Amino acid sequence: MRFGALLLLLAACAPMPLSAPKAPEAAEVRVSLVDFEFQPKALKVAPGTTLVFVNQGQAPHTVTDSRGRFDSGVLAPGAEFRRTFTEPGNYAIYCALHPYMVFSLEVGP
Ligand SMILES: [Cu+2]
């Protein structure tokens, strides 16, 4: 077999074309809601990251997008809310019950 043919065969067997962008890693990042703030208060993540918001306080809280794209509803103490962020951009997130609880998220490469 000629070398060129071997290369073609190897390329055909590769799971993805060599030019394909690397798939985003399926990462999870935990954000805590305590009484009465997000921890951390700001974060930058790669597109495709799943944020897991966990209410670790004694009071109920929400995870609400200021532009209305999502809302966790009321999270009782111990409850969690997961969302995967695929769209790059900036997100201003707050707690609807305590609007001074704010969280700033940047999704980007
Ligand atoms: Cu709250």
Side-chain angles (χ1 to χ4, degrees), residues 44-107:
K44 179 177 180 181
V45 300
T49 302
T50 298
L51 293 197
V52 184
F53 296 89
V54 184
N55 183 357
Q56 298 188 314
Q58 301 299 310
H61 298 292
T62 79
V63 179
T64 304
D65 177 45
S66 62
R67 289 171 57 188
R69 290 168 288 194
F70 59 87
D71 186 348
S72 67
V74 175
L75 297 174
E80 67 179 41
F81 171 68
R82 309 167 74 88
R83 188 176 193 276
T84 301
F85 290 84
T86 54
E87 288 292 315
N90 292 298
Y91 295 78
I93 295 166
Y94 69 103
C95 170
L97 303 176
H98 316 100
Y100 52 86
M101 289 177 59
V102 294
F103 173 66
S104 171
L105 176 67
E106 180 181 350
V107 179

